[in-house]
Amino acid sequence: MRLTLALAGALIALPAAAHETTAPLGGEEPLEHKHTADEIWDHFLPQAEASADITVDGNTRRIRANGYPDKAPGQFPNRNNPHAISKKNYNLKVPLNPRKTGGAKDAQGSVFGIAVNGVVMDPGTAEYWQNNRRSGWNYEALGGACKLGLDKYNAHVQPDGTYHYHGIPTGVVAASGGRSVPAMIGFAADGFPIYGQYGYSDPERKSSMKKLKSSYRIKNGNRPDGPGGSYNGKFTQDWAFVEGAGDLDQCNGRFAITPEYPNGTYHYVLTDAFPFIPRCWMGNPDASFTRLKGRGQRRGNLEEGQGSPTIDFAVFQDNTEIAAQVIQVQGGHPPRVRRGGPPPQRGQRGPRQQRGGQGGGQGGRSPCSGS
């Protein structure tokens, strides 16, 4: 009976920083006490077995999951990620009929959404230049500078055992198709669906499939402070939104028809280029998601400059010149080094560093060495 239920959970799931904070995720329900017989049974069950249940309750979509992928993950711990996967007990909810608020809300540093297999999507890292969060220069997980022990599904493990995606969850996309029709692979915290990188070329009708492109581009020129050097995509702040440069808006979304929504819906798209997983929401994220990380963090509209350090939402006149109007979201504490000032010296003290790259601590050491 138990095996049947476990397999049913995996089947239902399909259609329906490493080094982030060491604090346990909130928004989880306590696991029930297990009997010895249950523990013995779990020993024989493969750890990769997903347990995800997505149901509709009135105007709410409820997502209960244990955080395991439905395909065997990479080896954890590994050389660049010292953490082991542990079972979670997510009890999340999103609106069944989400609505856009008219402005984007910052999702940097938050759990953006959850895949249909019950694994969360957490694109940002807590890795900063010289381990100094106040520097304002945040390493990208897929930017090429960090070795964070990602497996072939673009996922790794937090210090508290949370397995999570930093990019396209290739295993989920493969299970859902992906190139012949748009593949729905999860839900964002605000309730809008999340799709893979292929969509209809004509968003208003079934048409040929195309690879959808992000509208973010690497800035031109050199970084004014911090690590210095030319912008190259290794840091989140190396990127800016270029309206019309791709197929997607600043939250990596668009309105289009899909197999699940024949009349069309706004939805997010995961891409193989920055931002990979969106860094903002167009609707209101449910508190069950925002409580997962950063208790007490302020979240606000991007235009209001609240939230954690994030990307520049800018408009390029072309790929070599930034237009005069630039909306920069820094949030939190201002950078210690102002524009044009000297970079911090080696050994400069920043916020207290926690094990696993919490993002502060003694400067002068790369946070991407795989602690």
Side-chain angles (χ1 to χ4, degrees):
M1 173 61 75
R2 176 158 181 166
L3 180 59
T4 301
L5 292 175
L7 292 175
L11 292 174
I12 290 172
L14 289 176
H19 323 316
E20 284 80 6
T21 176
T22 56
L25 290 179
E28 300 174 17
E29 292 190 342
L31 290 170
E32 295 181 0
H33 177 71
K34 284 189 173 184
H35 296 290
T36 303
D38 290 330
E39 294 176 350
I40 294 174
W41 177 264
D42 284 347
H43 178 75
F44 291 99
L45 286 176
Q47 285 192 336
E49 181 178 305
S51 174
D53 185 26
I54 302 175
T55 59
V56 173
D57 180 10
N59 294 322
T60 299
R61 193 185 309 276
R62 293 195 174 275
I63 305 164
R64 297 176 175 87
N66 68 4
Y68 276 129
D70 57 332
K71 292 181 180 291
Q75 181 65 45
F76 295 101
N78 61 43
R79 180 178 180 182
N80 296 304
N81 187 284
H83 314 301
I85 300 174
S86 64
K87 181 181 290 186
K88 301 299 170 180
N89 195 28
Y90 297 130
N91 188 357
L92 306 170
K93 62 187 181 75
V94 296
L96 183 62
N97 299 300
R99 297 180 182 276
K100 295 175 73 173
T101 61
K105 292 184 180 297
D106 183 15
Q108 182 76 358
S110 300
V111 173
F112 176 77
I114 190 167
V116 292
N117 65 355
V119 176
V120 295
M121 302 177 186
D122 189 359
T125 74
E127 306 287 356
Y128 285 80
W129 177 69
Q130 289 197 338
N131 278 335
N132 183 2
R133 183 180 294 273
R134 294 175 184 265
S135 74
W137 295 97
N138 187 194
Y139 284 100
E140 273 295 306
L142 301 179
C146 295
K147 294 181 179 180
L148 299 180
L150 297 172
D151 64 15
K152 65 180 180 180
Y153 303 120
N154 292 319
H156 65 177
V157 185
Q158 288 181 356
D160 73 333
T162 301
Y163 183 77
H164 61 288
Y165 296 116
H166 274 289
I168 297 173
T170 53
V172 179
V173 174
S176 303
R179 294 201 180 195
S180 57
V181 295
M184 191 180 78
I185 55 180
F187 293 96
D190 61 3
F192 286 112
I194 303 171
Y195 281 78
Q197 61 183 327
Y198 291 90
Y200 292 128
S201 55
D202 183 346
E204 297 182 354
R205 64 181 181 88
K206 291 183 179 180
S207 50
S208 60
M209 295 284 288
K210 64 177 289 188
K211 185 178 180 180
L212 301 173
K213 295 181 179 180
S214 161
S215 295
Y216 283 87
R217 298 294 181 268
I218 294 177
K219 298 175 186 177
N220 182 61
N222 297 319
R223 302 184 188 98
D225 50 45
S230 60
Y231 295 113
N232 57 13
K234 293 183 178 180
F235 294 89
T236 307
Q237 292 72 26
D238 288 351
W239 297 88
F241 175 68
V242 186
E243 188 171 8
D247 303 295
L248 308 171
D249 64 20
Q250 71 191 73
C251 293
N252 240 37
R254 72 169 189 165
F255 187 95
I257 68 167
T258 69
E260 293 79 14
Y261 299 90
N263 294 323
T265 182
Y266 180 81
H267 60 275
Y268 301 104
V269 177
L270 305 190
T271 51
D272 61 3
F274 187 92
F276 308 104
I277 295 172
R279 309 303 170 90
C280 57
W281 297 289
M282 282 298 189
N284 283 317
D286 189 83
S288 63
F289 278 85
T290 57
R291 285 196 300 263
L292 289 178
K293 291 180 66 177
R295 292 183 178 87
Q297 278 187 328
R298 295 179 63 191
R299 293 291 168 197
N301 292 332
L302 294 170
E303 291 80 2
E304 295 173 357
Q306 297 177 354
S308 56
T310 185
I311 49 183
D312 289 351
F313 293 90
V315 179
F316 282 4
Q317 293 178 347
D318 53 39
N319 286 343
T320 61
E321 183 178 357
I322 299 180
Q325 183 179 4
V326 176
I327 302 174
Q328 184 173 12
V329 183
Q330 286 292 347
H333 298 287
R336 179 170 297 192
V337 181
R338 297 295 184 181
R339 182 177 294 272
Q345 299 299 311
R346 289 183 62 88
Q348 180 182 28
R349 189 171 182 81
R352 183 175 181 269
Q353 168 74 7
Q354 296 185 22
R355 182 184 178 188
Q358 175 68 4
Q362 297 290 338
R365 176 178 176 273
S366 170
C368 301
S369 58
S371 57

